[in-house]
Amino acid sequence: MSTELKPGFCQTGDLTAGNRLQSIDVVSVQSQEDRANSLTSGHRACQGCGEALGARMAIDKVMELSKNKVHVVNATGCLEVFTTPFPETSWNVPWLHSLFGNAPAVATGVQAALKAKGMEDVTVIAQGGDGSTVDIGFGCLSGMFERNDDVLYICYDNEAYMNTGVQRSGATPPTARTATTPLSGPHPGNNFGQGKNVPKIAMAHGIGYVATATIANVRDLEAKVAKAMSMKGARYLHIHVPCPLGWGSLPKDTIKLARLAVESGLYPLFEGEHGVITGVTKIRKKVPVDEYLKLQRRFTHLFKKGADTDDLAGVQAIADAHIKYYGLLDDGDK
Amino acid sequence: MALTLPYAITLEVGSSLENKTGDWRTERPIYLDRLPPCNIECPAGENIQAWLGLSQEGKYQEAWEEILHNNPLPAVHGRVCYHPCEDGCNRKQMENPVSIHAIERFLGDEALKNNWTIPKAADTGKSVLVVGAGPGGISAAYHLCKMGHKVTVVDSKPAVGGMLRYGIPSYRLPRDVLDSEVAHIEKMGVTFKFNTRIDNLAASIKDGGYDAAFLAIGAHVGRSVEIPNDGSVKIIEAVKFLSDMETEDKKPELGKKVAVYGGGNTAIDCVRTAVRLGADSVNLIYRRDRKNMPAHDFEVVEALEENVNLNELRTIKEMKDGKLTLDIMELNAEGWPESTGKTETIEADTVLYALGQLVDASLFNDCTGIDVEKDGVTNVNDQFMTGMDGVFAGGDMIPSARTVTTAVGHGKKAARYINAYLKGEAYTPAEKHETASFDKLNTWYYEDEDMREQPVLDLKKRTTTFEEVLGDLDEATAKYEATRCMSCGNCFECDNCYTVCPDNAIIKLGRGNRFEINYDYCKGCGMCVEECPCGSMLMEPEEL
Amino acid sequence: MLKQVEGSIGVAEAIGLCRPDLVCAYPITPQTHIVEGLADMVRKGKIKSNCQYINVESEFAALSVCIGSSATGVRSYTATSSQGLLFMAEAVYNAAGMRLPIVMTIGNRAIGGPINIWNDQSDSMSMRDAGWIQIHAETNQEAGDLHIQAFKIAEQLSIPVMVCVDGFLLTHAYEQIESSTQEQVDEFLPPFKPMQALDCDNPMSMGAMVGPEAFMEVRALNIAHFDNAIEPIQKISEEFEKIFGRKAGGLYEHYNSEDADTVVVSLGSVNGTVKDIIDEYKKDNVSIGSFKIGCYRPFPGKQIVEQLKHAKRIIVVEKDIFAGVGGCLANDMTVAFKDTDVKIYSVIGGLGGRPIFKKSLIKILDRGMKDELEDLSFIDLDQSLVEREITREDLFMTKAV
């Protein structure tokens, strides 16, 4: 039994957002009463929306570090629709929405304009859901990466087109039921493929910083925002944001699902710089994918009598592959 | 720059505050304080979670004051209490419980070191007689004194403590700790009278002009048993043995071979004392097996470490020629011992009988209406009052678990009823909050961290001296250990609820002031409740 | 100072004098020489601003970058042609709806399929109703001058402007043009003061979603602002003339058409050919003139009717045709003249770069003046080939059924 006392120990360590026992310097921005609330109350996101939360977490941290000097460009999607329906906006930052597929390019324009005005101290954020990021806006995203424009792009990944009624996107996981990958045929739900791993594709562009983050770990998320903010050029942050409506989960389980996605290995948390993986957030308490999948109606067919067990095994294999590739378990756990 | 905003497509920031999303809600989250299992298990009713919380913040004096709401003897309890709180501790289901007793001891010692005191209320003009200066009597005296009553404690023994002094060996409770902690109560204004035996309670109350009395005379009469003995083996009752240890001129002679008959904590105290007195062999004889011993297992373990031989499933059949014939037992289907018919012998100069204790109820000689059982145990009502008006009782002399902490709890509760009695009021205890059981917690959020244990005296000293076996936690370790507390059922301000609300509907009131819910915007998703580590939130149906 | 330059370079130099802060384009023939010229000027620091040239991966991105920069309050420019304009279509509408004063050159080119890189005006015509002001250049001189005016129009009205320059015929043609000076341009074109811009000190949300409760009003406002642009466009043209000492832009230009019985109406460089023909007719005292429409969107219908109501007939010569519409300009003219007795003839020519020869056009005009034209005619169309192919395909389709 260790008798060493961990410095700054509190019962929740850095697992909770804050803790009254911790110095204000180590707790998350989210836990502080003077956080920016860049995305304020009164928005029309569903109960338990992970995206609303992820956006506030990320942008509040940007607000803190930039001393409120930020411009945000938002792609069309849930986040845009639920935050800015006339006559009300929930944003407390200079914010611009143009189209579904052009947020990275618009952000490039904003950044170039700031440069022209000699205001390069303003941080430019482009953000969107997985639909705009991995699919329709992917060309513009890749262009922005390739030019290494001074933009931090944040993708809030809820794994389907939720705004239009839960259709499949390039980020929808295999076997998931969506409105366009219904439960029929020998392999119900979304097909198995190589997937479209935009964080890795972003890394292939060799940009300064790429990271995946989750709303279930706000301190990790904020650290990654901070790391991104310490650099110039194109940076990419991919945040996993469960969607109760689209996933068929209970609103109260949003954080839990985000956590289980990480703990199962399905959603690896890692960072990379200039094309090289520089760090991973280890799995703390590994769980089989079932624990994650069973809480979501989009996967219930995997657990019905007569379901093809290969489908479930296939999802587990993805998690196992992630664990191996990224080294998500401590050596002792393997 | 004055700008002309185009209609509708460009909007003033933050305007969605106009949109009160609270009306989406069908369930609402609320904050509540649930009762942690440590508090539930504490016979003294200590608000353990609260004083651990204060200790986490280094507010030791406030933590000590919090303990003293319920228990005036933390330095004592940190040493002798069998800490059922730790059995209840939810952390036990993760790795091991918080070492609550060690922190309580630290706080008690800090108070003694720093001479912390508790203020008392203005004099009420009422006076109370307390009979028995053991834990129950001390507790009642302290609380009654704090409430402003004049309290006199009488005891037939020459010094304070009752079983604390005359039942618990000094290697578990150094006497200076006991004396210092009681001295503090004496300083508050409680009068102690020793070597004063009360034989006629009614007369004593009347003569003393007392308005009420609290009795906590304990159970100091050893239970005996008839076993054939040719006189070669000396028999001593355990309670007498332990009591005599405290009286210099009565130090008992045990011989070199000692046996102790019984399986309770007193038996353990006896064997360990015998070891320290220099016995060559110490045998503990118990009729059932170790698993069924009433003694706490950690005490049994400590005894075995000190080279005590455990003779489980044995009864003493006869004593002859300095030898004990032991009947070998086995447990029947109901778990009771039955003789196998086989025997064995061991040598013994002395046998200590630790077979339970009776109450000497002779003080009721001149009282009427008191309901006394044949073993001297006195029945009381739910307000701790005996059949005689104004006479209350607690501790080992009433039907209940016979522990120090139970007695202290009785003293506290009885004091509250006595106070109400004296004022002609009714006292109704506050309703207990629902239990903060393990399933109410979200334990994901707690760091895995093992208990920091107290240092233990080396075995040589343990077997040859009466030095205290368990040592202190230093300040840093005590605080660290306190910080392992998960604060079950009581918000400790981890900020999770505030952070996970997608609607910013939780208002943080600043450190130390917890949170509030802004129902104008709360959509009732329940994430705050789900992600509350300690279970201090609840969803309840919205009234529609 | 007169100099002999390629049309594209003339345009690039004019834009440079406007001190844009951002140029962002994706190359497409025949727009390429303009943006190459600008890229070179930016690199060499010839533009007196912090101008940046951003290379992007598509026209959609190019205009999107301009949307971002314009919304951040800097002067922004792009250029495209043909498919490029179609590829950015979504952003074209968006920029107008957001009221961002971007200036875009259209090097007019046919749209496919079949793919065709040569000049006609079907590209800009395809976006005629997107909410952008569209002004057409007749000459390289005017092409440059219109860009200087375009920034002023756009920024004064918060409406984006397309300057339509016929591909190859102007963009790749070398002509003598009179350069403007930086002083002239600075006097004419004030620094950009946006009606709205991203600003940390005055944060706002731009590009809100507007539902049924306000969308109609937003649209009605757009249209009202758009229609109100006609007068300022004319006025800015007049201001230009005062400072630069030459005419350019404006709503329209008469050429012997003030009292002619027959008026030829057209857009862009074809006016040069028409003017030559009018000169020839003039020698024979034929009552025919030409009328150039400089501002096509907003369409100055009332002003045109006022100018041409005396005519017996108007022959609209244009280089676009759309299914179900025919010639767009003829269509607009027909609507404008619906309450008059003026006869409108639609003549389509020059599609996909086919040259409009004088003699072919004269043949058409001769017939027009005798009112022998069909409502819709084509210049130099191989009608027999079209008929033959229709028959052949009909046979095939019948068999297939």
Side-chain angles (χ1 to χ4, degrees):
Chain A
M1 190 177 300
S2 166
T3 52
E4 258 173 56
L5 308 182
K6 294 182 197 162
F9 172 71
C10 72
Q11 64 271 69
T12 51
D14 58 6
L15 296 166
T16 47
N19 190 312
R20 79 188 198 294
L21 301 174
Q22 289 181 323
S23 147
I24 207 87
D25 307 322
V26 302
V27 296
S28 66
V29 166
Q30 278 307 297
S31 72
Q32 300 177 24
E33 57 261 52
D34 61 351
R35 73 183 184 205
N37 278 339
S38 49
L39 179 56
T40 195
S41 305
H43 62 71
R44 290 147 197 250
C46 305
Q47 293 169 316
C49 175
E51 189 172 33
L53 189 52
R56 192 193 71 218
M57 285 176 171
I59 307 301
D60 278 3
K61 184 66 182 176
V62 173
M63 292 282 272
E64 186 219 21
L65 295 171
S66 69
K67 301 190 171 62
N68 297 341
K69 288 194 167 185
V70 60
H71 287 356
V72 176
V73 176
N74 209 130
T76 308
C78 273
L79 181 59
E80 168 263 325
V81 168
F82 72 65
T83 58
T84 56
F86 167 83
E88 293 150 2
T89 173
S90 309
W91 293 101
N92 276 325
V93 293
W95 179 94
L96 172 63
H97 161 248
S98 171
L99 297 168
F100 197 7
N102 71 355
V106 174
T108 292
V110 171
Q111 198 278 329
L114 289 167
K115 196 172 168 191
K117 295 206 275 191
M119 294 167 66
E120 282 170 278
D121 56 334
V122 177
T123 298
V124 179
I125 302 291
Q127 60 183 8
D130 51 297
S132 63
T133 305
V134 320
D135 291 340
I136 196 169
F138 184 70
C140 285
L141 183 66
S142 177
M144 190 273 280
F145 288 161
E146 172 271 318
R147 291 186 300 271
N148 199 28
D149 292 329
D150 191 17
V151 172
L152 169 56
Y153 190 96
I154 305 174
C155 170
Y156 305 102
D157 179 7
N158 57 20
E159 302 185 341
Y161 289 92
M162 301 316 185
N163 193 34
T164 43
V166 198
Q167 297 85 13
R168 177 203 179 278
S169 82
T172 300
T175 75
R177 181 191 66 184
T178 69
T180 50
T181 54
L183 300 184
S184 48
H187 296 285
N190 193 25
N191 57 308
F192 278 92
Q194 292 304 304
K196 194 167 180 182
N197 189 329
V198 172
K200 278 170 83 178
I201 294 171
M203 283 180 59
H205 287 75
I207 60 173
Y209 188 67
V210 173
T212 60
T214 170
I215 54 168
N217 190 341
V218 66
R219 296 201 202 200
D220 183 76
L221 185 153
E222 288 188 359
K224 285 166 176 172
V225 172
K227 178 86 181 167
M229 292 278 289
S230 71
M231 299 178 179
K232 287 282 182 188
R235 292 142 293 157
Y236 180 76
L237 188 59
H238 193 97
I239 304 178
H240 197 226
V241 291
C243 169
L245 178 82
W247 296 11
S249 55
L250 296 174
K252 74 184 172 84
D253 283 340
T254 296
I255 295 282
K256 186 179 189 178
L257 281 167
R259 181 163 57 240
L260 290 172
V262 173
E263 295 303 298
S264 65
L266 282 175
Y267 185 75
L269 292 177
F270 67 94
E271 321 175 75
E273 292 177 41
H274 303 291
V276 179
I277 291 180
T278 53
V280 299
T281 306
K282 300 272 186 187
I283 288 175
R284 184 165 165 252
K285 292 184 174 170
K286 185 175 179 280
V287 295
V289 294
D290 310 32
E291 278 194 36
Y292 169 66
L293 303 174
K294 276 181 174 168
L295 295 174
Q296 306 172 53
R297 282 203 306 279
R298 63 178 175 155
F299 294 115
T300 45
H301 57 284
L302 296 177
F303 303 99
K304 285 209 170 119
K305 259 192 188 162
D308 188 339
T309 52
D310 286 353
D311 284 350
L312 180 58
V315 178
Q316 183 64 55
I318 292 170
D320 294 343
H322 284 162
I323 290 168
K324 195 171 167 207
Y325 178 85
Y326 295 101
L328 297 176
L329 289 177
D330 281 325
D331 292 339
D333 298 341
K334 275 174 191 169
Chain B
M1 182 162 46
L3 302 166
T4 317
L5 306 187
Y7 172 71
I9 59 170
T10 301
L11 303 173
E12 295 285 352
V13 292
S15 42
S16 69
L17 290 171
E18 291 296 311
N19 185 33
K20 302 284 169 26
T21 51
D23 57 10
W24 299 17
R25 200 171 53 236
T26 56
E27 282 185 298
R28 62 164 54 200
I30 57 163
Y31 290 99
L32 78 169
D33 287 326
R34 289 192 168 104
L35 190 58
C38 51
N39 296 22
I40 293 172
E41 296 300 330
C42 178
E46 288 183 28
N47 190 353
I48 294 164
Q49 172 275 326
W51 59 256
L52 285 175
L54 291 164
S55 304
Q56 292 167 1
E57 297 177 34
K59 296 175 178 168
Y60 303 128
Q61 186 168 1
E62 287 173 54
W64 175 79
E65 286 165 358
E66 172 53 49
I67 296 178
L68 263 76
H69 285 311
N70 298 294
N71 183 349
L73 302 171
V76 168
H77 279 74
R79 290 172 167 84
V80 305
C81 178
Y82 294 115
H83 43 75
C85 51
E86 294 179 26
D87 294 331
C89 178
N90 277 326
R91 247 214 198 263
K92 200 177 169 185
Q93 299 186 50
M94 294 169 63
E95 59 282 288
N96 33 45
V98 175
S99 187
I100 298 169
H101 72 279
I103 304 155
E104 182 174 38
R105 166 176 168 161
F106 165 77
L107 293 171
D109 289 353
E110 283 294 296
L112 297 178
K113 206 160 67 185
N114 297 301
N115 288 316
W116 293 335
T117 56
I118 295 286
K120 59 183 248 192
D123 195 355
T124 60
K126 302 282 184 185
S127 71
V128 182
L129 171 67
V130 173
V131 185
I138 295 169
S139 169
Y142 161 79
H143 287 288
L144 288 165
C145 175
K146 205 174 104 179
M147 291 163 181
H149 306 302
K150 191 172 179 315
V151 184
T152 306
V153 183
V154 297
D155 196 295
S156 60
K157 298 276 190 192
V160 76
M163 276 296 181
L164 290 171
R165 183 181 298 272
Y166 299 102
I168 293 174
S170 59
Y171 61 84
R172 281 178 57 204
L173 176 60
R175 301 306 183 228
D176 58 331
V177 173
L178 171 63
D179 291 337
S180 308
E181 208 152 46
V182 174
H184 150 73
I185 295 165
E186 202 169 0
K187 236 181 271 170
M188 280 177 76
V190 173
T191 307
F192 286 91
K193 288 184 183 167
F194 298 109
N195 297 312
T196 306
R197 188 183 163 86
I198 303 240
D199 290 315
N200 297 295
L201 178 65
S204 299
I205 293 171
K206 200 178 165 212
D207 296 348
Y210 296 109
D211 299 297
F214 177 70
L215 317 177
I217 57 172
H220 292 268
V221 182
R223 194 189 291 272
S224 194
V225 63
E226 288 298 321
I227 300 170
N229 185 352
D230 65 358
S232 62
V233 179
K234 190 174 172 185
I235 307 290
I236 308 176
E237 278 164 9
V239 274
K240 183 172 187 309
F241 165 67
L242 293 171
S243 173
D244 287 350
M245 285 294 297
E246 287 305 303
T247 319
E248 202 56 48
D249 55 354
K250 289 186 189 167
K251 276 276 160 66
E253 289 294 327
L254 296 179
K256 284 291 172 192
K257 299 183 181 93
V258 181
V260 176
Y261 197 21
N265 290 316
T266 305
I268 302 296
D269 288 340
C270 288
V271 289
R272 296 181 69 186
T273 301
V275 166
R276 284 164 175 75
L277 287 174
D280 289 341
S281 78
V282 179
N283 279 289
L284 182 62
I285 301 162
Y286 181 55
R287 62 192 174 129
R288 293 201 282 169
D289 60 355
R290 181 174 165 186
K291 206 173 70 193
N292 286 297
M293 282 175 84
H296 289 93
D297 196 60
F298 67 87
E299 293 230 55
V300 179
V301 169
E302 285 174 350
L304 296 178
E305 285 168 1
E306 292 167 9
N307 290 325
V308 169
N309 303 313
L310 174 60
N311 301 270
E312 54 185 338
L313 291 165
R314 301 286 185 276
T315 55
I316 305 174
K317 200 174 178 186
E318 76 177 324
M319 305 180 217
K320 199 175 161 188
D321 301 332
K323 286 188 182 119
L324 308 181
T325 304
L326 301 182
D327 211 348
I328 301 177
M329 315 294 280
E330 61 185 6
L331 296 182
N332 68 14
E334 282 79 46
W336 293 106
E338 283 173 1
S339 175
T340 58
K342 295 177 208 157
T343 59
E344 65 181 15
T345 57
I346 59 169
E347 295 180 346
D349 300 325
T350 307
V351 173
L352 298 170
Y353 280 180
L355 300 168
Q357 287 121 264
L358 309 173
V359 180
D360 174 7
S362 59
L363 82 168
F364 294 130
N365 283 338
D366 64 341
C367 300
T368 48
I370 307 243
D371 177 14
V372 181
E373 303 281 338
K374 66 173 186 290
D375 56 0
V377 170
T378 304
N379 288 314
V380 292
N381 66 12
D382 60 358
Q383 302 190 358
F384 292 88
M385 187 146 60
T386 64
M388 188 171 155
D389 186 55
V391 175
F392 298 76
D396 288 358
M397 70 176 288
I398 69 166
S400 72
R402 286 179 172 171
T403 72
V404 171
T405 319
T406 305
V408 163
H410 289 173
K412 173 190 80 173
K413 288 176 204 160
R416 289 174 183 170
Y417 287 112
I418 292 166
N419 182 51
Y421 172 84
L422 293 173
K423 292 181 170 171
E425 297 166 352
Y427 167 69
T428 317
E431 217 166 288
K432 282 190 177 175
H433 295 151
E434 64 170 286
T435 306
S437 49
F438 190 74
D439 61 292
K440 299 282 192 300
L441 309 181
N442 187 339
T443 54
W444 163 264
Y445 289 109
Y446 294 103
E447 289 259 46
D448 304 313
E449 195 65 27
D450 278 322
M451 183 200 277
R452 305 291 147 150
E453 290 184 355
Q454 290 162 275
V456 181
L457 192 67
D458 73 67
L459 199 58
K460 178 109 194 284
K461 281 188 178 164
R462 274 167 64 181
T463 52
T464 54
T465 75
F466 281 85
E467 272 183 52
E468 190 172 15
V469 173
L470 289 178
D472 298 322
L473 293 186
D474 60 31
E475 190 267 340
T477 312
K479 189 173 177 182
Y480 198 89
E481 184 59 25
T483 307
R484 289 181 64 241
C485 170
M486 302 195 288
S487 193
C488 307
N490 291 266
C491 174
F492 62 100
E493 296 177 39
C494 73
D495 304 310
N496 263 12
C497 53
Y498 175 65
T499 295
V500 303
C501 177
D503 297 292
N504 313 1
I506 308 263
I507 301 163
K508 181 169 177 172
L509 301 172
R511 282 195 173 181
N513 300 313
R514 296 189 174 183
F515 307 88
E516 227 171 56
I517 293 162
N518 184 346
Y519 293 109
D520 279 352
Y521 300 109
C522 168
K523 292 172 184 162
C525 68
M527 259 155 72
C528 50
V529 176
E530 192 68 17
E531 301 308 321
C532 174
C534 68
S536 72
M537 294 189 82
L538 177 72
M539 290 303 280
E540 59 179 24
E542 192 66 45
E543 282 172 29
L544 298 174
Chain C
M1 189 183 78
L2 285 173
K3 62 177 180 180
Q4 183 86 6
V5 290
E6 191 193 38
S8 293
I9 298 307
V11 168
E13 286 178 354
I15 290 160
L17 291 172
C18 294
R19 304 178 189 261
D21 287 309
L22 179 127
V23 175
C24 182
Y26 184 81
I28 183 168
T29 303
Q31 149 264 42
T32 41
H33 293 182
I34 300 174
V35 297
E36 287 165 8
L38 281 164
D40 189 56
M41 289 162 71
V42 169
R43 278 288 170 98
K44 288 179 177 157
K46 286 184 179 169
I47 297 176
K48 304 297 171 208
S49 65
N50 295 322
C51 187
Q52 293 158 82
Y53 185 95
I54 311 250
N55 283 293
V56 285
E57 69 285 354
S58 73
E59 288 87 356
F60 177 64
L63 184 52
S64 297
V65 168
C66 289
I67 287 171
S69 58
S70 186
T72 313
V74 304
R75 187 167 287 160
S76 306
Y77 169 82
T78 187
T80 191
S81 297
S82 181
Q83 310 305 122
L85 182 61
L86 296 188
F87 195 52
M88 64 167 67
E90 192 188 8
V92 169
Y93 274 81
N94 185 248
M98 305 257 301
R99 305 205 49 202
L100 299 172
I102 298 161
V103 169
M104 169 159 65
T105 307
I106 306 298
N108 282 115
R109 168 184 149 183
I111 53 179
I115 188 166
N116 172 293
I117 65 162
W118 291 277
N119 168 252
D120 70 26
Q121 293 174 346
S122 49
D123 50 3
S124 63
M125 280 299 178
S126 76
M127 291 293 143
R128 67 189 182 278
D129 302 324
W132 288 58
I133 289 166
Q134 290 187 332
I135 50 181
H136 280 259
E138 179 186 343
T139 62
N140 282 350
Q141 178 72 54
E142 192 174 38
D145 292 348
L146 282 186
H147 281 90
I148 299 169
Q149 294 185 25
F151 281 111
K152 186 157 182 166
I153 295 166
E155 292 167 10
Q156 190 172 310
L157 303 174
S158 269
I159 298 173
V161 177
M162 281 183 210
V163 182
C164 303
V165 180
D166 280 315
F168 294 108
L169 300 178
L170 294 180
T171 58
H172 288 55
Y174 280 75
E175 280 180 20
Q176 257 195 355
I177 62 166
E178 192 177 336
S179 319
S180 308
T181 65
Q182 188 67 60
E183 291 69 32
Q184 284 173 315
V185 175
D186 288 349
E187 190 188 346
F188 174 74
L189 179 63
F192 177 30
K193 278 189 191 150
M195 78 180 287
Q196 56 170 348
L198 295 179
D199 179 1
C200 293
D201 296 328
N202 292 291
M204 65 187 97
S205 298
M206 296 170 66
M209 184 183 77
V210 179
E213 70 280 16
F215 193 85
M216 293 255 303
E217 287 72 20
V218 170
R219 270 286 166 270
L221 277 165
N222 271 358
I223 298 306
H225 289 307
F226 196 69
D227 290 345
N228 288 340
I230 288 172
E231 205 177 305
I233 289 168
Q234 180 58 35
K235 228 178 119 203
I236 285 167
S237 160
E238 288 159 15
E239 285 169 28
F240 181 88
E241 190 180 353
K242 272 184 210 151
I243 290 170
F244 292 84
R246 58 180 181 267
K247 277 184 190 291
L251 302 177
Y252 52 81
E253 184 195 275
H254 281 290
Y255 192 79
N256 291 341
S257 54
E258 290 88 343
D259 52 5
D261 292 343
T262 304
V263 179
V264 183
V265 171
S266 51
L267 295 165
S269 65
V270 74
N271 275 293
T273 310
V274 175
K275 281 175 181 168
D276 282 353
I277 294 169
I278 299 301
D279 287 344
E280 285 175 27
Y281 278 126
K282 199 177 173 184
K283 287 177 204 158
D284 302 332
N285 285 322
V286 180
S287 180
I288 185 168
S290 91
F291 185 83
K292 175 178 94 176
I293 294 179
C295 170
Y296 178 57
R297 280 292 183 269
F299 189 66
K302 272 187 205 158
Q303 289 80 353
I304 294 169
V305 170
E306 193 55 38
Q307 295 300 314
L308 299 182
K309 63 187 179 198
H310 61 274
K312 289 181 177 147
R313 64 192 69 81
I314 292 172
I315 300 169
V316 179
V317 178
E318 61 187 305
K319 297 196 276 193
D320 67 273
I321 186 161
F322 284 82
V325 174
C328 296
L329 178 56
N331 198 53
D332 290 325
M333 290 291 285
T334 305
V335 172
F337 282 84
K338 67 181 191 301
D339 296 331
T340 69
D341 296 329
V342 182
K343 174 72 185 164
I344 308 288
Y345 293 103
S346 175
V347 177
I348 308 292
L351 298 183
R354 181 164 300 184
I356 297 179
F357 293 115
K358 260 205 269 186
K359 60 176 191 214
S360 308
L361 186 51
I362 288 169
K363 240 191 267 176
I364 297 262
L365 298 182
D366 284 347
R367 286 175 57 212
M369 282 186 283
K370 291 183 226 157
D371 290 322
E372 287 172 3
L373 277 177
E374 303 293 320
D375 287 349
L376 173 63
S377 322
F378 292 89
I379 304 170
D380 293 340
L381 176 72
D382 187 343
Q383 189 63 39
S384 62
L385 184 143
V386 172
E387 279 162 16
R388 186 192 75 205
E389 285 300 299
I390 289 171
T391 312
R392 193 171 64 89
E393 284 185 28
D394 278 354
L395 275 172
F396 174 78
M397 297 303 285
T398 313
K399 266 186 209 160
V401 170

